[in-house]
Amino acid sequence: MLQIWALAGIAEIRTGDDLVQVIADAAAGALADGDILVVTSKIVSKAEGRIIEASDREAAITAETVRTVATRTSESGHVTRIVENRLGIVSAAAGVDASNTPHGTVLLLPEDPDASARAIAAGLRELLGVRVGVIVSDTLGRAWREGQTDTAIGAGGVRVFEDLRGKSDAEGRPLVVTMPCTADELASAADLVKGKASRLPVAVVRGRADLVGDVDLPGARSIVRPAERDMFRLGADEAYDLGYAAGAEEVWHEGGRSGS
Amino acid sequence: MLQIWALAGIAEIRTGDDLVQVIADAAAGALADGDILVVTSKIVSKAEGRIIEASDREAAITAETVRTVATRTSESGHVTRIVENRLGIVSAAAGVDASNTPHGTVLLLPEDPDASARAIAAGLRELLGVRVGVIVSDTLGRAWREGQTDTAIGAGGVRVFEDLRGKSDAEGRPLVVTMPCTADELASAADLVKGKASRLPVAVVRGRADLVGDVDLPGARSIVRPAERDMFRLGADEAYDLGYAAGAEEVWHEGGRSGS
């Protein structure tokens, strides 16, 4: 049996707030060994002061961007930029977020969400004496499917994959390619109780204590597939355009039909 | 509070088995109005007889494929085919599955997973008198992120999106682009109790009765983004190659450098 609930009573988070204390107060003694806390990245960003003037939004997206993956301009002229950010995460607008922020401001993602998750996990373990894991979650779009799901962008003290490679199915055959991303599944499960319009930024997942381990287990950074191994490292239009230019260049230098 | 548990005692499913009766027996009176059942597509396929000889696997993948999205050959010569199948779902091997099937056989996805989900939901509502929703789930890989998550490929009587467009955040600003894919989040949450190596193909999610509605609500087909609106409708290499050929062709006809 898995139980998931949101912590009530967490007020607006401000720069410098101690999230370990905030979460401990909201949990009010209800946390137990093996619980996994799923913390919305937005409150981590706020506590860390990752807040800037909204007028700097486009510049902030550019600053957070390592590589543009795809762009699309809608009929109304709105430009969507899908980019890889400095954490390796591919998302719209590099995670720069204008919802649920003070008027006139936008939020950047936490500087290092794995470090944030580890610090919260270590802090709660020390303060409360319970061995909990922490996931920092963000809402991401996907290729091929409409809508968004919450995913793990930081993890501390939680195994992010359930590694079944080497295990066997019920017929004894190896489950060679199966590696469920439990961290993303936990983040998605937690979103079902947190909601977007309400202020419920922290959920507790109880029932998968087997996934909780040392605070310095590999973080959510290990979920990111390096671009060079990714079949979708570029948007189709962007890759087509690069290919077109290369093909044209090649034949141009060969002299084209008249040069053959 | 969300509660999620797997139904114990479901034996190996064979062609022709009545999944409504199997699930009702396994649930043993524990289902209530508003519960959402997440059923692994594998047992739906088995009940529907979607089983073929393993020697026909490559032909089956081809038959299930509408469009090849990307292919990659590993150093060991193993070819991964990412394809769009006849349901619009982009996945490896068109969902043709060789794990947890009788020796020498592979499974195709259900013929129409939304219809299967609706039939199970309607059947359980009639047999047990409880208003449940049903999701048929499959394990899918993703772009940009390692590992897999369980996602919804069929839905009956469950809202697949929590449509927040038009709603406001806590500061009163519209959440314009937010449309959480609750069906995928439910499928992922259920995977946390089902496991892959064990025989726990059905989970119950209790606590989101607000998502349960008429059996003929839009199905999981509505989650699929049409290729023409998808920035990642082709793999980067495939799009580059198409562009290269087009660029070369164009300049060839122009006569290249010597023709300018």
Side-chain angles (χ1 to χ4, degrees):
Chain A
M1 168 77 81
L2 203 69
Q3 294 179 303
I4 311 178
W5 68 95
L7 296 181
I10 295 181
E12 179 67 21
I13 300 296
R14 295 179 199 287
T15 301
D17 282 353
D18 177 358
L19 287 184
V20 169
Q21 195 63 56
V22 166
I23 292 169
D25 290 346
L31 294 181
D33 280 349
D35 285 350
I36 299 167
L37 290 139
V38 183
V39 181
T40 304
S41 63
K42 197 182 298 279
I43 68 165
V44 179
S45 295
K46 286 180 178 176
E48 294 179 358
R50 303 273 296 158
I51 192 161
I52 58 166
E53 296 299 315
S55 55
D56 300 332
R57 181 170 185 271
E58 292 301 316
I61 295 173
T62 302
E64 294 278 291
T65 296
V66 169
R67 189 174 70 83
T68 298
V69 175
T71 59
R72 175 165 290 185
T73 307
S74 73
E75 286 175 22
S76 65
H78 179 76
V79 178
T80 302
R81 286 199 260 173
I82 309 293
V83 304
E84 178 182 328
N85 70 9
R86 63 198 160 68
L87 302 165
I89 297 167
V90 175
S91 70
V96 175
D97 186 357
S99 66
N100 275 311
T101 59
H103 187 72
T105 65
V106 295
L107 276 181
L108 310 182
L109 288 180
E111 182 76 34
D112 180 348
D114 281 330
S116 306
R118 288 179 185 127
I120 297 169
L124 287 169
R125 288 178 186 201
E126 179 159 339
L127 182 66
L128 302 176
V130 289
R131 194 155 180 269
V132 296
V134 171
I135 285 172
V136 173
S137 68
D138 194 22
T139 304
L140 297 183
R142 326 57 88 70
W144 319 317
R145 296 174 78 77
E146 303 284 7
Q148 302 89 34
T149 56
D150 273 18
T151 52
I153 66 165
V158 185
R159 256 174 284 283
V160 296
F161 294 110
E162 184 159 24
D163 200 339
L164 301 175
R165 293 175 301 184
K167 296 213 175 152
S168 301
D169 68 12
E171 298 281 328
R173 278 164 308 196
L175 286 164
V176 274
V177 294
T178 305
M179 193 171 72
C181 184
T182 36
D184 281 350
E185 293 188 329
L186 287 162
S188 286
D191 190 42
L192 292 166
V193 302
K194 291 198 290 189
K196 292 273 180 300
S198 43
R199 274 212 186 97
L200 294 168
V202 181
V204 184
V205 181
R206 177 168 295 169
R208 286 302 307 266
D210 60 299
L211 295 173
V212 175
D214 292 342
V215 163
D216 59 354
L217 281 170
R221 192 70 174 80
S222 65
I223 303 172
V224 172
R225 181 179 294 139
E228 64 272 18
R229 297 206 294 110
D230 198 309
M231 289 189 256
F232 302 93
R233 64 193 171 278
L234 267 185
D237 290 344
E238 285 73 12
Y240 182 96
D241 290 348
L242 276 184
Y244 190 97
E249 169 89 6
E250 175 77 18
V251 175
W252 176 264
H253 284 297
E254 283 172 4
R257 184 172 46 184
S258 11
S260 66
Chain B
M1 167 77 81
L2 203 68
Q3 293 179 303
I4 313 179
W5 68 95
L7 296 181
I10 295 181
E12 178 68 20
I13 300 296
R14 295 179 200 286
T15 301
D17 282 352
D18 178 358
L19 287 184
V20 170
Q21 194 63 56
V22 166
I23 292 169
D25 290 347
L31 294 181
D33 281 349
D35 284 350
I36 299 168
L37 290 139
V38 183
V39 181
T40 304
S41 63
K42 198 182 298 278
I43 68 165
V44 178
S45 295
K46 286 180 178 176
E48 295 179 357
R50 303 273 297 157
I51 191 161
I52 59 166
E53 296 298 318
S55 56
D56 300 332
R57 181 172 185 270
E58 291 302 315
I61 295 173
T62 302
E64 295 277 292
T65 295
V66 169
R67 190 174 70 83
T68 298
V69 174
T71 59
R72 175 165 288 185
T73 306
S74 74
E75 285 175 24
S76 64
H78 178 77
V79 178
T80 301
R81 285 199 261 172
I82 309 293
V83 305
E84 178 184 327
N85 71 9
R86 62 195 163 70
L87 301 165
I89 298 167
V90 175
S91 70
V96 176
D97 186 357
S99 66
N100 275 312
T101 60
H103 188 72
T105 66
V106 294
L107 277 181
L108 310 182
L109 288 179
E111 183 76 33
D112 180 349
D114 280 331
S116 307
R118 288 179 185 128
I120 297 169
L124 287 169
R125 288 177 187 204
E126 179 159 339
L127 182 66
L128 302 177
V130 289
R131 195 157 180 268
V132 296
V134 171
I135 284 171
V136 172
S137 68
D138 194 23
T139 304
L140 296 184
R142 326 61 83 72
W144 319 317
R145 296 175 78 77
E146 303 284 6
Q148 303 89 36
T149 56
D150 273 17
T151 52
I153 66 164
V158 185
R159 257 174 284 283
V160 295
F161 294 111
E162 184 159 22
D163 200 340
L164 301 175
R165 292 175 302 183
K167 297 212 175 154
S168 301
D169 69 12
E171 298 281 328
R173 277 164 309 197
L175 287 164
V176 275
V177 294
T178 304
M179 192 171 72
C181 185
T182 36
D184 281 350
E185 293 188 328
L186 287 162
S188 287
D191 190 42
L192 292 166
V193 302
K194 291 198 291 189
K196 292 273 179 303
S198 43
R199 274 212 186 94
L200 293 168
V202 181
V204 184
V205 180
R206 177 168 294 168
R208 286 302 308 264
D210 60 299
L211 295 173
V212 175
D214 292 342
V215 163
D216 58 355
L217 281 170
R221 192 70 174 82
S222 65
I223 303 172
V224 172
R225 180 179 295 140
E228 65 273 17
R229 296 206 294 110
D230 197 308
M231 289 188 255
F232 302 93
R233 65 193 171 279
L234 267 185
D237 290 344
E238 285 72 13
Y240 183 95
D241 290 348
L242 276 183
Y244 189 97
E249 170 88 6
E250 175 77 16
V251 175
W252 175 265
H253 284 298
E254 283 172 3
R257 184 172 46 185
S258 10
S260 67

